[in-house]
Amino acid sequence: MNKITDLSAAFAQTSVSDNDIVCQRTLKASIGCAGVGLHSGQKIRITLHPAEIDHGIVFRRTDLAEQPLYPARYDGVIDTRLCTCLGDASKGIKIGTIEHLMAALAGARIDNVLIDIDADEVPVMDGSSAPFNFLIDCVGIEEQDAPRQVIEVLKSVEVDYNGCTARIEPGNGFEVDFEIDFASKAIANQRMSVKFDDGVFVANISRARTFGFLHEVEAMRSAGLARGGSLDNAVVLSGDEVMNEEGLRYEDEFVRHKILDALGDLYTAGMQLQGKVTAYKSGHHVNNLLLKALLSDESAYQVVPMRKSALYAVNDAPVLATA
């Protein structure tokens, strides 16, 4: 972490007069929304505020007396069992289900934002990132007078947990190749490769909803979880059948949502990654393990200013899917 901090400070002094350098970005104004917590069922309000250069993405628990701040960082993640949770385990403080909002911020290339939240989880909204991208569109994006830094991957790093794998290797821009495999015929085997050029996330990934099986939802509710889950904010399957009357938003919505989750989880690196991620049945825990493995090896990465060429690395067929 010292390496990232030191290099970020150094590159903050880099001139933005170079026409190929991408600038940091924040919001033009504050904006908020309210929704239901997936697990608590409570009504929750969040407000996104513009933030200064090099602020990063930081959550503030406004419902607590001290209003503690929690940077959205992989080393501040305290739980990955059902979602990605930030917080302080010693004090029993958490901020759960951050991944959909984080994916929206990553997809919009927002570097600096302060997020006020008055409960212990981000509202699930419709189960995708689209409502958060709508908020960003409503207020607009402001470029800041400092270069955006990225973590450039220099060598391949791989993790394996109970047969679920994730690997990151050098590459131009940021790419995710994801494969899932479920016994349910409604999902089966799906694979998609996405090169996150400018605009690709909103166009092809952001609307993909979280999903689960009816028997799992019933079991979680018996354990006091998923109290806010419904067909309005998740794709629910019963065996081989999709229970949502409107059906799927994409034929391969399931793998698209797993890519959405991965993008949000990996944005907790503190800045965008530059490289290719290949994942098989990965989830929040494996995504977090991958960041820990990469950023614990100082020979595996370097922090560099982001180049505009990385935003438009692929001009044709940015999304390839097989199911």
Side-chain angles (χ1 to χ4, degrees):
M1 289 313 303
N2 288 338
K3 178 180 178 181
I4 290 181
T5 302
D6 293 345
L7 286 174
S8 294
F11 281 116
Q13 306 303 315
T14 302
S15 172
V16 293
S17 60
D18 185 338
N19 288 332
D20 192 36
I21 293 292
V22 176
C23 293
Q24 292 183 34
R25 310 214 297 182
T26 189
L27 303 177
K28 286 185 176 180
S30 298
I31 190 168
C33 68
V36 173
L38 178 62
H39 294 297
S40 68
Q42 295 178 326
K43 186 175 181 179
I44 300 164
R45 182 166 185 83
I46 63 169
T47 304
L48 312 182
H49 301 286
E52 65 273 13
I53 290 168
D54 296 328
H55 177 276
I57 298 168
V58 179
F59 287 83
R60 178 168 60 189
R61 281 287 301 270
T62 58
D63 58 316
L64 301 178
E66 297 179 355
Q67 298 199 359
L69 299 173
Y70 294 96
R73 294 291 299 268
Y74 74 98
D75 48 359
V77 170
I78 61 171
D79 195 354
T80 55
R81 286 173 294 178
L82 297 173
C83 60
T84 294
C85 281
L86 299 171
D88 185 338
S90 67
K91 295 182 179 179
I93 299 172
K94 68 175 183 177
I95 303 170
T97 322
I98 68 167
E99 58 273 10
H100 302 166
L101 175 55
M102 291 295 294
L105 295 169
R109 300 200 333 268
I110 301 296
D111 302 283
N112 304 306
V113 64
L114 174 64
I115 304 164
D116 283 341
I117 182 168
D118 65 1
D120 64 0
E121 61 178 321
V122 175
V124 68
M125 307 308 285
D126 72 346
S128 78
S129 292
F132 300 123
N133 284 114
F134 175 75
L135 293 180
I136 294 168
D137 288 343
C138 283
V139 294
I141 296 170
E142 179 178 309
E143 288 203 345
Q144 298 173 291
D145 191 23
R148 186 182 209 219
Q149 295 100 43
V150 294
I151 298 171
E152 180 184 10
V153 178
L154 301 178
K155 69 179 186 182
S156 180
V157 174
E158 184 169 353
V159 294
D160 186 322
Y161 180 80
N162 290 341
C164 303
T165 63
R167 181 179 72 253
I168 189 164
E169 58 192 304
N172 185 32
F174 182 59
E175 181 177 359
V176 176
D177 186 316
F178 209 113
E179 182 178 1
I180 58 175
D181 197 356
F182 285 81
S184 170
K185 293 179 182 178
I187 305 177
N189 180 276
Q190 296 182 3
R191 181 181 176 185
M192 172 176 278
S193 181
V194 181
K195 190 68 174 278
F196 283 102
D197 303 338
D198 205 21
V200 166
F201 174 76
V202 170
N204 296 290
I205 302 296
S206 66
R207 296 180 64 249
R209 295 163 294 174
T210 191
F211 62 92
F213 291 89
L214 182 60
H215 68 275
E216 294 175 341
V217 174
E218 291 171 341
M220 285 191 289
R221 284 182 174 169
S222 296
L225 301 170
R227 293 174 178 172
S230 72
L231 295 174
D232 293 327
N233 54 39
V235 177
V236 180
L237 300 104
S238 178
D240 296 330
E241 301 295 327
V242 173
M243 297 182 65
N244 305 63
E245 288 187 8
E246 75 277 14
L248 300 176
R249 293 179 174 177
Y250 311 93
E251 182 180 356
D252 54 356
E253 186 167 359
F254 306 103
V255 71
R256 291 183 192 233
H257 186 78
K258 296 294 284 187
I259 291 173
L260 183 157
D261 277 348
L263 180 65
D265 289 342
L266 295 174
Y267 205 40
T268 63
M271 58 189 76
Q272 184 174 308
L273 300 172
Q274 181 175 310
K276 179 181 179 180
V277 173
T278 303
Y280 175 69
K281 298 170 67 173
S282 183
H284 304 302
H285 183 62
V286 174
N287 296 336
N288 186 253
L289 288 179
L290 182 63
L291 287 183
K292 288 179 176 178
L294 172 69
L295 299 176
S296 66
D297 182 353
E298 294 194 353
S299 68
Y301 70 94
Q302 63 179 352
V303 178
V304 298
M306 185 177 192
R307 299 283 174 177
K308 290 180 181 176
S309 54
L311 297 177
Y312 308 100
V314 177
N315 292 318
D316 56 343
V319 178
L320 172 66
T322 59

